[in-house]
């Protein structure tokens, strides 16, 4: 093929063969010396090589092309279709087109809290939402179910994932911690691989293992024996340190500059890992045991059996807000995403509350009843 073709002069019959995903030129045209030529979608070309005298795909209105693209996976549109030609690249690069795509498939408000369109990645959000929906909607074909039942003989109160989800840690009322390597699970041999997945048991707590968290390769476990223990997972689960408190430890938040522990004696205790886990501050802001907490650089959020959620302002050194929940519906778990200003709280009767944490408001904006009738012990 020799340059240069002027598309206004071109008499070539150019057709997009959608069944073979290739462009086919079926005749010669002025400005090109060409025989029958197939252009693969992966090849570099310019849309000026296509003619406008015969109907083809790029003659369709953008609205029609956008509608047609909804029948394709979002990731395929982004990773492949945008490389076909400049027109497709321009069409599918607009964030507004991805916002419209989400709203048409899921008419309810998304995200549930207001976002700034200039700083929200609608393209990524669309890909992640479609893939998550497809994974769970078609779970029988996209997932394998395994039961890890050889690690404990009593109830399991805490489960934690490490190393990108490859390692699972479970804590039980039998006072042990079990380490599972999920990479050993095999969908073709579910029973045998479940037995082989267990790596090790750690039996150094003398009370129920109630809560676990991690930082890097360090696992942190909290127990009713009033101790918080640290384990080096790179060294096969070797215990490296231990903190002895005055009451059962029920929840934790672990950062590089702080370990925050909520306990049965109604306190929230802040330790400094950089100074040998010395106590920095003790907060007494609840009248019953502290059951769940979350923290970032600005706030420490704690939920208690006294039916309250307290937001402590770390910079001001005082309580920012106290949120009262209904009687007997005290918070048992929470998940905090400071990036999007979302605080999710699971409570005693199984309801799920969403709080708008943006700008320090922490207002309950929505409550979900998803069918649970018992304690909501965990929210992720």
């Amino acid at each position: 093929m020799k340059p240069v073709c002027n598309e206004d002069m071109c008499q070539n019959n150019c057709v997009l063969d959608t069944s073979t995903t290739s462009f086919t030129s079926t005749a010669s045209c002025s400005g090109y010396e060409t025989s029958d030529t197939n252009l693969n979608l992966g090849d570099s070309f310019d849309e000026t090589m296509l003619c406008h005298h015969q109907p083809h795909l790029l003659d369709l209105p953008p609205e029609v092309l956008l509608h047609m693209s909804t029948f394709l996976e979002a990731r395929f549109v982004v990773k492949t279709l945008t490389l076909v030609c400049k027109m497709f690249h321009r069409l599918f690069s607009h964030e507004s087109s991805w916002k419209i795509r989400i709203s048409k498939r899921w008419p309810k408000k998304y995200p549930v809290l207001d976002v700034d369109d200039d700083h929200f990645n609608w393209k990524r959000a669309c890909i992640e939402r479609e893939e998550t929906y497809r994974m769970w909607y078609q779970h029988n074909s996209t997932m394998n179910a395994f039961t890890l039942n050889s690690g404990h003989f009593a109830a399991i109160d805490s489960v934690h994932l490490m190393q990108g989800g490859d390692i699972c840690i479970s804590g039980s009322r039998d006072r042990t911690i079990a380490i599972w390597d999920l990479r050993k699970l095999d969908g073709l041999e579910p029973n045998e691989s479940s037995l082989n997945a267990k790596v090790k048991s750690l039996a150094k707590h003398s009370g129920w293992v109630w809560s676990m968290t991690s930082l890097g390769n360090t696992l942190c476990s909290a127990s009713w024996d009033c101790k918080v223990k640290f384990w080096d997972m790179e060294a096969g689960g070797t215990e490296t340190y231990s903190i002895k408190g005055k009451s059962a430890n029920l929840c934790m938040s672990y950062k590089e500059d702080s370990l925050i522990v909520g306990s049965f004696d109604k306190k929230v205790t802040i330790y400094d890992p950089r100074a040998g886990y010395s106590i920095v501050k003790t907060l007494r802001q609840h009248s019953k045991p502290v059951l769940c907490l979350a923290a970032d650089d600005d706030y420490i959020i704690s939920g208690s059996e006294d039916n309250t959620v307290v937001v402590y302002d770390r910079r001001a050194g005082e309580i920012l807000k106290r949120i009262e929940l209904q009687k007997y519906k005290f918070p048992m778990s929470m998940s905090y995403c400071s990036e999007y200003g979302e605080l999710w709280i699971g409570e005693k009767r199984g309801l799920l509350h969403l709080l708008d944490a943006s700008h320090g408001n922490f207002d309950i904006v929505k409550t979900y009843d998803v069918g649970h009738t018992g304690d909501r012990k965990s929210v992720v």
Side-chain angles (χ1 to χ4, degrees):
M1 185 177 294
K2 299 181 181 179
V4 167
C5 175
N6 185 330
E7 61 182 15
D8 294 331
M9 300 171 56
C10 184
Q11 304 299 316
N12 186 17
N13 296 321
C14 296
V15 180
L16 174 63
D17 183 351
T18 57
S19 64
T20 61
T21 64
S22 63
F23 286 99
T24 304
S25 176
T26 56
S28 61
C29 62
S30 58
Y32 280 107
E33 291 183 14
T34 177
S35 57
D36 290 350
T37 305
N38 287 331
L39 298 177
N40 294 325
L41 294 184
D43 295 338
S44 176
F45 68 97
D46 195 305
E47 56 263 42
T48 58
M49 298 169 65
L50 304 176
C51 305
H52 294 279
H53 297 290
Q54 294 294 330
H56 53 71
L57 186 64
L58 298 185
D59 285 333
L60 295 174
E63 295 83 359
V64 175
L65 292 173
L66 287 172
H67 178 70
M68 292 171 63
S69 72
T70 61
F71 294 92
L72 302 172
E73 294 181 1
R75 185 175 295 276
F76 175 82
V77 175
V78 173
K79 299 295 185 181
T80 302
L81 208 56
T82 55
L83 303 179
V84 170
C85 62
K86 293 179 180 178
M87 178 179 176
F88 282 175
H89 178 76
R90 290 193 297 266
L91 182 64
F92 299 117
S93 292
H94 288 289
E95 289 291 308
S96 58
S97 64
W98 296 100
K99 182 178 180 180
I100 293 171
R101 176 173 173 138
I102 290 179
S103 65
K104 286 186 175 180
R105 185 165 184 183
W106 293 283
K108 292 184 179 180
K109 184 179 179 181
Y110 179 84
V112 289
L113 299 181
D114 293 331
V115 295
D116 183 353
D117 287 346
D118 293 335
H119 298 93
F120 188 77
N121 192 328
W122 286 100
K123 186 186 301 181
R124 186 182 71 179
C126 187
I127 292 174
E128 292 180 354
R129 173 139 201 198
E130 287 188 9
E131 291 181 348
T132 300
Y133 174 82
R134 184 167 56 253
M135 179 178 66
W136 287 103
Y137 184 75
Q138 303 172 352
H139 61 90
N140 289 331
S141 59
T142 60
M143 299 184 189
N144 292 312
F146 300 91
T147 301
L148 305 177
N149 54 14
S150 62
H152 304 282
F153 61 82
I156 297 171
D157 288 307
S158 180
V159 175
H160 184 69
L161 294 176
M162 296 183 64
Q163 299 180 11
D166 289 338
I167 302 299
C168 175
I169 316 294
S170 56
S172 169
R173 296 189 183 190
D174 64 9
R175 307 175 184 181
T176 68
I177 297 171
I179 304 173
W180 311 85
D181 187 347
L182 302 186
R183 293 167 296 188
K184 296 181 178 180
L185 297 177
D186 185 352
L188 299 177
E189 298 288 344
N191 295 328
E192 182 178 351
S193 63
S194 296
L195 294 173
N196 295 332
K198 184 179 177 181
V199 176
K200 190 175 183 179
S201 285
L202 308 175
K204 292 194 176 183
H205 276 295
S206 57
W208 295 351
V209 181
W210 197 253
S211 178
M212 292 186 296
T213 186
S214 64
L215 181 64
N217 287 307
T218 299
L219 173 69
C220 185
S221 60
S223 168
W224 281 77
D225 61 6
C226 306
K227 293 180 180 179
V228 175
K229 289 182 177 291
F230 300 84
W231 315 84
D232 186 348
M233 301 308 294
E234 281 192 331
T238 302
E239 182 181 350
T240 59
Y241 200 74
S242 179
I243 299 174
K244 175 70 173 178
K246 296 181 180 180
S247 181
N249 300 304
L250 305 180
C251 51
M252 297 181 293
S253 175
Y254 194 15
K255 309 292 182 184
E256 290 186 357
D257 61 347
S258 64
L259 171 69
I260 306 171
V261 180
S263 51
F264 189 81
D265 60 1
K266 316 166 193 176
K267 299 176 184 177
V268 173
T269 305
I270 306 171
Y271 299 89
D272 188 348
R274 301 163 300 182
Y277 292 96
S278 58
I279 296 178
V280 176
K281 194 166 191 175
T282 299
L283 306 177
R284 297 172 176 85
Q285 49 201 20
H286 291 285
S287 60
K288 287 189 177 181
V290 180
L291 303 178
C292 55
L293 61 81
D296 63 4
D297 292 338
D298 298 317
Y299 307 108
I300 297 174
I301 309 160
S302 56
S304 168
E305 197 175 342
D306 62 9
N307 300 315
T308 67
V309 174
V310 172
V311 181
Y312 177 81
D313 189 326
R314 301 181 73 172
R315 299 182 187 277
E318 60 185 19
I319 294 177
L320 174 69
K321 190 167 187 176
R322 184 182 296 272
I323 304 159
E324 298 278 349
L325 300 181
Q326 295 182 25
K327 192 175 182 180
Y328 305 122
K329 293 186 177 181
F330 52 80
M332 296 195 68
S333 58
M334 64 175 59
S335 178
Y336 180 40
C337 179
S338 57
E339 180 182 359
Y340 296 116
E342 297 179 3
L343 175 63
W344 296 85
I345 296 177
E347 46 102 306
K348 173 70 175 177
R349 297 297 177 90
L351 296 179
L352 184 64
H353 303 288
L354 170 62
L355 283 72
D356 182 358
S358 60
H359 311 296
N361 294 326
F362 292 96
D363 296 321
I364 297 178
V365 296
K366 198 170 183 64
T367 297
Y368 298 86
D369 185 352
V370 294
H372 290 285
T373 57
D375 302 352
R376 186 177 290 277
K377 181 68 169 61
S378 180
V379 178
V380 179

